[in-house]
Amino acid sequence: LLSSLNVGEQGTFTGVTDHTPTFLNYLDKTGFSLGSTLKVTNIEEFDQTVTVLVKSKKEVTVSHKVANSLLIS
């Protein structure tokens, strides 16, 4: 899971645990796609919000709930 990575660690986005249409649409809007490299650049101490660099180009901040739904290898 993305939520298991620490700042500076990266992995490949391989799937999701939430298959609802609203969640999948959210991922599409943020630019996540299967096979994308995600590198954790920040984890907010207060609420565990995670900021990731997607494909070494775009920085995206997601909630802890979202980070808990993204499978990473």
Side-chain angles (χ1 to χ4, degrees):
L1 296 175
L2 178 61
S3 59
S4 68
L5 297 180
N6 296 311
V7 173
E9 294 181 329
Q10 68 180 29
T12 303
F13 174 43
T14 58
V16 296
T17 60
D18 180 346
H19 294 91
T20 61
T22 52
F23 182 67
L24 298 176
N25 286 336
Y26 170 78
L27 291 182
D28 192 44
K29 284 192 276 185
T30 59
F32 291 109
S33 58
L34 292 177
S36 296
T37 299
L38 305 179
K39 181 177 183 179
V40 177
T41 59
N42 187 55
I43 300 172
E44 189 60 47
E45 186 176 342
F46 170 69
D47 62 359
Q48 302 302 301
T49 299
V50 180
T51 304
V52 295
L53 192 59
V54 181
K55 300 179 188 173
S56 300
K57 296 178 183 175
K58 178 181 175 185
E59 207 165 55
V60 177
T61 301
V62 298
S63 69
H64 184 69
K65 181 179 179 179
V66 170
N68 252 351
S69 299
L70 301 179
L71 299 173
I72 302 294
S73 66

